[in-house]
Amino acid sequence: MDAEAISEGQTKRHWFVQGMRGIWSIPAIMLMLSFVGFAAFTAEGGIPVEQVMFMTGMVWALPAKVILVGSMLSGANIVTAFIAVTLSSVRMMPMVAALVPEIRNRRTPTWLMLVLSHFVAITAWVFAMERAHKIPRDGRVAYFAGFSITLTSANIILVGVAYFLVTQFPPLIGACLFFLTPVYFLTSIWVSARHRVIYWALGIGLVLGVVFHEVAPDFDILLAGLVGGTLAWFGERRLRLRQKGGV
C-alpha cells in the first residue's frame, strides 16, 4: 500500500471519528430525548421491546415509526400500515437528492451512497447540511457515516434501556419528551432553510394543519404538507417570474 493510500485511509478514519463525536451535539441529544418519549409510547402500547429496537434501526425516521406503531395499535392491516409509512418516508427522497451532491466525490462508490441513504432523516440531514461545507470533500462521506451510524446505534440501545424505565415516569414527562421531536424538526428546518419557499411552505403548512385537523383529521398532516408545499411553490414561482419581468 503506497503512502497516498495510507494517508487517504487515515483521513477517512479521522473524519469518521469526528462525525461520531457529533453524538454529543444538541441535535443528537434532542433526538435521543425524543426516542425516550417514543420508548414510553411503545411501552404503553404493549409493543415488545425487541420489535421496538428492530424498528428503530430499520425504519429509523421517528415520524414513520410513530405512524407504524399507531397503525399497529389501531388494528390496521399490514397493507394500510405499509402505505402510511411509505407516504411518510417519501419526503426523504428530495433530502437524499440534496445531500448526495454535498458529500460525495468522484470516487465515492454508488453502493456506499445507497447504504448511507438509509440513515438520512431530519437530524442527520440537517447536521450534515450545516457542516458539510466546512469539511474537505474527501472527508464528508466518512463524517456523515460516523455521525449517522453512531446516532442510529445509540438510539437502538437507548430505546432498549429506556423501555423498562419509562414506565416509572409520570405520563406528562413522557409526553413532553416525545413532543420535543416536532418542535426540534420545525426549528431545525427553519434554521437550515436556504430558500424562501421553504419558509413559505412551513408557514402555510402550519396554518393548514390546524384547518385540516378539523376538516379531515385522518389525513391532516398529509394534506397540510401537500397543499401547503404546492401553494408555497406556486406562489414563490409567480413572485420570481414577476421580479424577472416574466409576467
Side-chain angles (χ1 to χ4, degrees), residues 155-168:
N155 279 303
I156 292 173
I157 297 171
L158 178 63
V159 296
V161 175
Y163 185 92
F164 299 102
L165 300 177
V166 291
T167 54
Q168 304 174 27

PDB file of all heavy atoms in Angstrom, residues 155-168:
ATOM      1  N   ASN A 155     -29.427   5.132  19.489  1.00  0.00           N
ATOM      2  CA  ASN A 155     -30.865   5.154  19.743  1.00  0.00           C
ATOM      3  C   ASN A 155     -31.462   3.756  19.838  1.00  0.00           C
ATOM      4  O   ASN A 155     -32.438   3.552  20.560  1.00  0.00           O
ATOM      5  CB  ASN A 155     -31.567   5.974  18.657  1.00  0.00           C
ATOM      6  CG  ASN A 155     -31.493   7.459  18.917  1.00  0.00           C
ATOM      7  OD1 ASN A 155     -31.925   7.944  19.957  1.00  0.00           O
ATOM      8  ND2 ASN A 155     -30.919   8.193  17.989  1.00  0.00           N
ATOM      9  N   ILE A 156     -30.894   2.801  19.119  1.00  0.00           N
ATOM     10  CA  ILE A 156     -31.351   1.410  19.264  1.00  0.00           C
ATOM     11  C   ILE A 156     -31.119   0.934  20.696  1.00  0.00           C
ATOM     12  O   ILE A 156     -31.993   0.340  21.331  1.00  0.00           O
ATOM     13  CB  ILE A 156     -30.619   0.493  18.267  1.00  0.00           C
ATOM     14  CG1 ILE A 156     -31.035   0.826  16.833  1.00  0.00           C
ATOM     15  CG2 ILE A 156     -30.907  -0.981  18.575  1.00  0.00           C
ATOM     16  CD1 ILE A 156     -30.235   0.084  15.782  1.00  0.00           C
ATOM     17  N   ILE A 157     -29.927   1.220  21.203  1.00  0.00           N
ATOM     18  CA  ILE A 157     -29.604   0.829  22.582  1.00  0.00           C
ATOM     19  C   ILE A 157     -30.448   1.615  23.576  1.00  0.00           C
ATOM     20  O   ILE A 157     -30.953   1.074  24.574  1.00  0.00           O
ATOM     21  CB  ILE A 157     -28.103   1.049  22.858  1.00  0.00           C
ATOM     22  CG1 ILE A 157     -27.263   0.150  21.941  1.00  0.00           C
ATOM     23  CG2 ILE A 157     -27.771   0.775  24.323  1.00  0.00           C
ATOM     24  CD1 ILE A 157     -25.776   0.443  21.986  1.00  0.00           C
ATOM     25  N   LEU A 158     -30.617   2.903  23.287  1.00  0.00           N
ATOM     26  CA  LEU A 158     -31.354   3.771  24.207  1.00  0.00           C
ATOM     27  C   LEU A 158     -32.795   3.314  24.398  1.00  0.00           C
ATOM     28  O   LEU A 158     -33.276   3.242  25.537  1.00  0.00           O
ATOM     29  CB  LEU A 158     -31.324   5.208  23.680  1.00  0.00           C
ATOM     30  CG  LEU A 158     -32.100   6.243  24.497  1.00  0.00           C
ATOM     31  CD1 LEU A 158     -31.511   6.378  25.889  1.00  0.00           C
ATOM     32  CD2 LEU A 158     -32.098   7.589  23.777  1.00  0.00           C
ATOM     33  N   VAL A 159     -33.494   3.001  23.306  1.00  0.00           N
ATOM     34  CA  VAL A 159     -34.898   2.591  23.459  1.00  0.00           C
ATOM     35  C   VAL A 159     -34.993   1.252  24.186  1.00  0.00           C
ATOM     36  O   VAL A 159     -35.952   1.011  24.911  1.00  0.00           O
ATOM     37  CB  VAL A 159     -35.624   2.520  22.097  1.00  0.00           C
ATOM     38  CG1 VAL A 159     -35.697   3.884  21.445  1.00  0.00           C
ATOM     39  CG2 VAL A 159     -34.976   1.517  21.159  1.00  0.00           C
ATOM     40  N   GLY A 160     -33.975   0.396  24.003  1.00  0.00           N
ATOM     41  CA  GLY A 160     -33.978  -0.877  24.717  1.00  0.00           C
ATOM     42  C   GLY A 160     -33.854  -0.697  26.213  1.00  0.00           C
ATOM     43  O   GLY A 160     -34.484  -1.418  27.001  1.00  0.00           O
ATOM     44  N   VAL A 161     -33.048   0.273  26.634  1.00  0.00           N
ATOM     45  CA  VAL A 161     -32.871   0.552  28.058  1.00  0.00           C
ATOM     46  C   VAL A 161     -34.045   1.362  28.608  1.00  0.00           C
ATOM     47  O   VAL A 161     -34.608   1.048  29.665  1.00  0.00           O
ATOM     48  CB  VAL A 161     -31.545   1.308  28.294  1.00  0.00           C
ATOM     49  CG1 VAL A 161     -31.409   1.726  29.755  1.00  0.00           C
ATOM     50  CG2 VAL A 161     -30.352   0.450  27.873  1.00  0.00           C
ATOM     51  N   ALA A 162     -34.421   2.410  27.855  1.00  0.00           N
ATOM     52  CA  ALA A 162     -35.477   3.298  28.340  1.00  0.00           C
ATOM     53  C   ALA A 162     -36.830   2.597  28.425  1.00  0.00           C
ATOM     54  O   ALA A 162     -37.668   2.975  29.246  1.00  0.00           O
ATOM     55  CB  ALA A 162     -35.584   4.517  27.421  1.00  0.00           C
ATOM     56  N   TYR A 163     -37.035   1.603  27.590  1.00  0.00           N
ATOM     57  CA  TYR A 163     -38.315   0.886  27.546  1.00  0.00           C
ATOM     58  C   TYR A 163     -38.717   0.392  28.937  1.00  0.00           C
ATOM     59  O   TYR A 163     -39.904   0.417  29.297  1.00  0.00           O
ATOM     60  CB  TYR A 163     -38.197  -0.284  26.579  1.00  0.00           C
ATOM     61  CG  TYR A 163     -39.471  -1.053  26.332  1.00  0.00           C
ATOM     62  CD1 TYR A 163     -40.317  -0.721  25.281  1.00  0.00           C
ATOM     63  CD2 TYR A 163     -39.830  -2.126  27.142  1.00  0.00           C
ATOM     64  CE1 TYR A 163     -41.488  -1.437  25.047  1.00  0.00           C
ATOM     65  CE2 TYR A 163     -40.986  -2.848  26.911  1.00  0.00           C
ATOM     66  CZ  TYR A 163     -41.814  -2.501  25.871  1.00  0.00           C
ATOM     67  OH  TYR A 163     -42.960  -3.219  25.646  1.00  0.00           O
ATOM     68  N   PHE A 164     -37.735  -0.062  29.704  1.00  0.00           N
ATOM     69  CA  PHE A 164     -38.025  -0.631  31.026  1.00  0.00           C
ATOM     70  C   PHE A 164     -37.999   0.424  32.130  1.00  0.00           C
ATOM     71  O   PHE A 164     -38.342   0.134  33.277  1.00  0.00           O
ATOM     72  CB  PHE A 164     -37.013  -1.732  31.352  1.00  0.00           C
ATOM     73  CG  PHE A 164     -37.053  -2.878  30.379  1.00  0.00           C
ATOM     74  CD1 PHE A 164     -36.090  -2.988  29.388  1.00  0.00           C
ATOM     75  CD2 PHE A 164     -38.054  -3.830  30.443  1.00  0.00           C
ATOM     76  CE1 PHE A 164     -36.125  -4.044  28.481  1.00  0.00           C
ATOM     77  CE2 PHE A 164     -38.099  -4.878  29.540  1.00  0.00           C
ATOM     78  CZ  PHE A 164     -37.134  -4.986  28.553  1.00  0.00           C
ATOM     79  N   LEU A 165     -37.587   1.644  31.795  1.00  0.00           N
ATOM     80  CA  LEU A 165     -37.513   2.697  32.800  1.00  0.00           C
ATOM     81  C   LEU A 165     -38.665   3.694  32.712  1.00  0.00           C
ATOM     82  O   LEU A 165     -39.059   4.271  33.724  1.00  0.00           O
ATOM     83  CB  LEU A 165     -36.179   3.462  32.656  1.00  0.00           C
ATOM     84  CG  LEU A 165     -34.905   2.637  32.817  1.00  0.00           C
ATOM     85  CD1 LEU A 165     -33.678   3.518  32.572  1.00  0.00           C
ATOM     86  CD2 LEU A 165     -34.829   2.007  34.199  1.00  0.00           C
ATOM     87  N   VAL A 166     -39.178   3.880  31.490  1.00  0.00           N
ATOM     88  CA  VAL A 166     -40.177   4.934  31.299  1.00  0.00           C
ATOM     89  C   VAL A 166     -41.511   4.631  31.971  1.00  0.00           C
ATOM     90  O   VAL A 166     -42.302   5.547  32.192  1.00  0.00           O
ATOM     91  CB  VAL A 166     -40.417   5.187  29.791  1.00  0.00           C
ATOM     92  CG1 VAL A 166     -39.210   5.826  29.153  1.00  0.00           C
ATOM     93  CG2 VAL A 166     -40.801   3.892  29.080  1.00  0.00           C
ATOM     94  N   THR A 167     -41.741   3.378  32.287  1.00  0.00           N
ATOM     95  CA  THR A 167     -42.995   3.054  32.971  1.00  0.00           C
ATOM     96  C   THR A 167     -43.048   3.695  34.351  1.00  0.00           C
ATOM     97  O   THR A 167     -44.128   3.820  34.935  1.00  0.00           O
ATOM     98  CB  THR A 167     -43.146   1.531  33.112  1.00  0.00           C
ATOM     99  OG1 THR A 167     -41.972   0.990  33.747  1.00  0.00           O
ATOM    100  CG2 THR A 167     -43.312   0.881  31.752  1.00  0.00           C
ATOM    101  N   GLN A 168     -41.887   4.108  34.857  1.00  0.00           N
ATOM    102  CA  GLN A 168     -41.836   4.759  36.165  1.00  0.00           C
ATOM    103  C   GLN A 168     -41.988   6.278  36.042  1.00  0.00           C
ATOM    104  O   GLN A 168     -42.089   6.979  37.045  1.00  0.00           O
ATOM    105  CB  GLN A 168     -40.511   4.430  36.857  1.00  0.00           C
ATOM    106  CG  GLN A 168     -40.264   2.934  37.008  1.00  0.00           C
ATOM    107  CD  GLN A 168     -38.891   2.633  37.571  1.00  0.00           C
ATOM    108  OE1 GLN A 168     -38.315   3.437  38.282  1.00  0.00           O
ATOM    109  NE2 GLN A 168     -38.364   1.452  37.280  1.00  0.00           N
TER     110      GLN A 168
END
